[in-house]
Amino acid sequence: MNAIAPPAPPADLAASTALPPRRGPTLTDRMRPHVQHALAVTIPPMLLIGLLMAVWEWASSGPTASLPPPSRVWDDAKELILNPFYDRGGLDKGLGLHLFASLQRVAVGFAISAVVGVALGMLVGSSRLAMRALDPLFQVLRTVPPLAWLPLSLAAFREAQPSAIFVIFITAVWPIIINTAVGVRNVPADYRNVARVIRLSPFDWFLRIVVPAAAPYIFTGLRIGVGLSWLAIIAAEMLIGGVGIGFFVWDAWNSSNLSDIIVALVYIGVVGFVLDRAMALVGRAVTRGTSEQ
């Protein structure tokens, strides 16, 4: 009962051994991982692009070179790069306006193909009778090259704008149908058994089970479709004329302006990359990260 209590440390010793107050992370500490990640992502491709530009400059600087080097492309197309939205009337427009016209066609054609493709894919994937009736037709039609549809669409619509939109639609709809149908057919058997046990109505089965389970496949088809749409409109606009990035490339070729063609190809590649990444981000957000990246 008379335990001897340990002696209390001197007041000045306790003060000297006390831990300093813990400092919270500063703004610099919080930003450091993001900056390091950004540098790790951007520096390697920038170095590779710089290396390729140097090789291109060296290879195209000879007297017999047929392609202009990057320095000459910059000199020839400086106004096109720095002022992409000029409009001098008629077809003399900047690359930004040509890109905007092409993106409008892609938006309309791809939206139609997404609605029709998802609907038909759901039908083919959920109905064995529909699959047997429609799948052989789809397999034949999807092998037809997109530009082969252009003469038929020009004859049917008699105008360039709806013909180009139809080519986009017929190009993008097949991967959307196929991926949606595969997603519906691959709904796990456990989900089907649970739905039977709790007696889900057909509407609830479709809305709560089929759509979420098939969503990653649907967005994979949409991502493929938007890429094919961008490829198809460039080729179609070379033939139908008018305003559009495809027509710009073909017009520059007729004018023997290779520098403008090179700049336009860079624009086409960047826009195609942005479209692909945008669709991937939408798919990841909707499917909560389960769609293909």
Side-chain angles (χ1 to χ4, degrees), residues 191-207:
Y191 292 0
R192 301 177 187 276
N193 296 332
V194 171
R196 291 192 190 97
V197 171
I198 62 177
R199 296 181 180 179
L200 279 180
S201 66
F203 180 77
D204 288 337
W205 156 255
F206 177 79
L207 193 62

Side-chain angles (χ1 to χ4, degrees), residues 164-209:
I165 292 174
F166 176 77
V167 170
I168 295 170
F169 162 76
I170 206 69
T171 303
V173 73
W174 307 122
I176 300 174
I177 292 176
I178 294 172
N179 280 275
T180 303
V182 171
V184 173
R185 285 199 292 266
N186 284 340
V187 173
D190 292 342
Y191 292 0
R192 301 177 187 276
N193 296 332
V194 171
R196 291 192 190 97
V197 171
I198 62 177
R199 296 181 180 179
L200 279 180
S201 66
F203 180 77
D204 288 337
W205 156 255
F206 177 79
L207 193 62
R208 298 183 180 183
I209 303 296

Side-chain angles (χ1 to χ4, degrees), residues 77 79-102 242-249 260 263-264 267:
E79 182 183 359
L80 200 65
I81 298 171
L82 299 179
N83 184 21
F85 295 101
Y86 70 83
D87 188 355
R88 299 178 181 137
L91 300 178
D92 190 5
K93 303 179 186 300
L95 265 177
L97 297 179
H98 284 285
L99 279 173
F100 184 68
S102 299
V243 180
I245 190 67
F247 168 76
F248 178 87
V249 172
D260 284 1
V263 174
Y267 275 63

